[in-house]
Amino acid sequence: MASLREKKTKELDEKLRAVNKQKDLFSFAGYDEAAAERTGYSNYSYWRSTFQTFFKNKVAVFLLIIMATILIFTFIQPYLPGQIDPNLVNNDETGMQIRNQKPDSTFWFGTNQIGQDLWSRTWAGTRTSLLIGFLVAVIEAAVGITVGVLWGYVRKLDFILTEVYNVLDNIPTTIVLILFSYIMKPSIHSMVIAMSITGWIGMARFIRNQIVIIRDRDYNLASRCLGTGTARIMIKNLLPYLVSVIMLRMALAIPGAIGSEVFISYIGLGLPVDIPSLGNLINTGRAKMMTASLRYQLVFPTIILSIVTISFYIIGNAFADAADPKNHV
């Protein structure tokens, strides 16, 4: 019995020593109300993830570098040394106009039929066309997004805006451009207004269809049940989901506006000749296309127009894919 008692006592002593060791290793944590309310931290950034995905597309990045170079050069070109006024008629030593001079060391893109430097006119025309394209894209985006979100989310406006859409959408854009070219004095402002009058319709219809798809999802219903205002739901819940499609539509609106300007100039209703544009240059070069020695007047502005159009299309698609939340992990 004595040995059994000693054995039990020894086991109890070992357990007490083990408990004492645990007390030395661990201590009770106090309750911190602020720490209890603190949420988990994540270093995820939507825009950082978007740009990381975009820059993995080497073709889009290459074209983005080319477009950035063209944009920068287009706007600094007039301030570089040795540049010629795009509207200046160049004469030789005898006072004769240097007409249809082929590209050389003085006139890098040659001259036109009245002796104007095509190098300067090409970059001035690119500057004008890009300005028109950007202005039209911004106006279309501002009006189209606003109308599209209201059209898709506010049910009371659906019937009214649908009827307005049906009326405006049946008016050919070409007719609007031609009428404005006749009514208003040809200028950059009149071109922008003419293109923007009906240009926002496609954007609004597209945004409306996207809003109808996502407006009754659970998180939007929960926001409405919690009393969130309509404007806040539109800005915080709906528009961020549409960033990718909005960027794509804006990227495509720029070459679309430039193409419309080229078309209007092609039919003789574009900007006056003292405002160089890609449309004016291509329209002038088109008349020389059948003469092999003068085709350079069409080639150079066409190359610039093609680069701008293709670059915006590919960059817009690549950025839209990168900005799509479904492609983010």
Side-chain angles (χ1 to χ4, degrees), residues 43-299:
N43 63 350
Y44 170 79
S45 171
Y46 170 77
W47 288 110
R48 183 172 66 247
S49 177
T50 296
F51 285 113
Q52 287 176 349
T53 305
F54 174 79
F55 283 113
K56 291 179 182 178
N57 190 327
K58 295 182 180 179
V59 175
V61 172
F62 175 72
L63 292 176
L64 179 63
I65 294 172
I66 291 179
M67 275 307 307
T69 304
I70 290 176
L71 285 172
I72 294 172
F73 184 79
T74 296
F75 287 95
I76 68 172
Q77 181 268 333
Y79 306 102
L80 297 177
Q83 301 302 307
I84 302 174
D85 190 323
N87 290 320
L88 176 66
V89 176
N90 297 279
N91 300 320
D92 57 16
E93 295 81 1
T94 63
M96 297 293 293
Q97 296 175 348
I98 308 177
R99 298 181 179 180
N100 298 324
Q101 174 68 45
K102 291 185 177 181
D104 56 19
S105 58
T106 302
F107 304 104
W108 290 1
F109 285 1
T111 62
N112 60 12
Q113 69 273 13
I114 61 173
Q116 294 173 322
D117 180 31
L118 286 180
W119 165 267
S120 298
R121 289 186 67 81
T122 298
W123 293 114
T126 304
R127 186 164 53 250
T128 301
S129 296
L130 286 174
L131 177 62
I132 292 174
F134 278 112
L135 289 176
V136 171
V138 170
I139 293 173
E140 285 186 8
V143 178
I145 292 171
T146 303
V147 175
V149 172
L150 292 172
W151 187 4
Y153 190 76
V154 182
R155 300 173 191 270
K156 294 180 180 179
L157 296 176
D158 185 67
F159 175 77
I160 298 173
L161 292 177
T162 300
E163 294 303 317
V164 172
Y165 170 81
N166 291 333
V167 172
L168 295 179
D169 188 55
N170 284 296
I171 301 175
T173 304
T174 304
I175 299 299
V176 176
L177 293 174
I178 293 174
L179 287 176
F180 259 81
S181 299
Y182 275 119
I183 296 172
M184 300 180 67
K185 180 181 178 182
S187 65
I188 293 177
H189 297 89
S190 61
M191 293 282 288
V192 171
I193 294 172
M195 294 179 192
S196 301
I197 282 182
T198 58
W200 59 270
I201 296 175
M203 172 79 79
R205 178 71 178 184
F206 187 79
I207 296 297
R208 182 258 182 192
N209 293 339
Q210 298 297 316
I211 294 295
V212 169
I213 294 173
I214 65 175
R215 69 183 178 188
D216 292 327
R217 290 186 176 176
D218 292 342
Y219 59 91
N220 290 320
L221 294 176
S223 296
R224 287 203 295 270
C225 292
L226 292 172
T228 306
T230 301
R232 184 174 179 82
I233 291 176
M234 291 179 183
I235 296 173
K236 296 294 184 179
N237 290 12
L238 302 178
L239 285 180
Y241 188 83
L242 302 176
V243 168
S244 60
V245 294
I246 290 172
M247 296 303 298
L248 175 60
R249 298 287 298 194
M250 287 189 65
L252 297 181
I254 295 173
I258 295 175
S260 297
E261 185 268 325
V262 171
F263 169 74
I264 290 299
S265 299
Y266 182 81
I267 62 177
L269 298 174
L271 297 173
V273 293
D274 60 330
I275 304 179
S277 69
L278 291 178
N280 280 339
L281 293 171
I282 291 175
N283 186 41
T284 302
R286 176 186 59 85
K288 307 291 190 298
M289 185 173 58
M290 302 308 297
T291 305
S293 61
L294 301 179
R295 288 175 184 166
Y296 65 88
Q297 298 186 24
L298 176 64
V299 170

Side-chain angles (χ1 to χ4, degrees), residues 9-22:
T9 303
K10 188 176 180 179
E11 290 178 355
L12 289 174
D13 291 339
E14 290 177 354
K15 289 181 179 179
L16 288 173
R17 283 195 294 270
V19 170
N20 290 331
K21 286 183 179 180
Q22 290 179 351

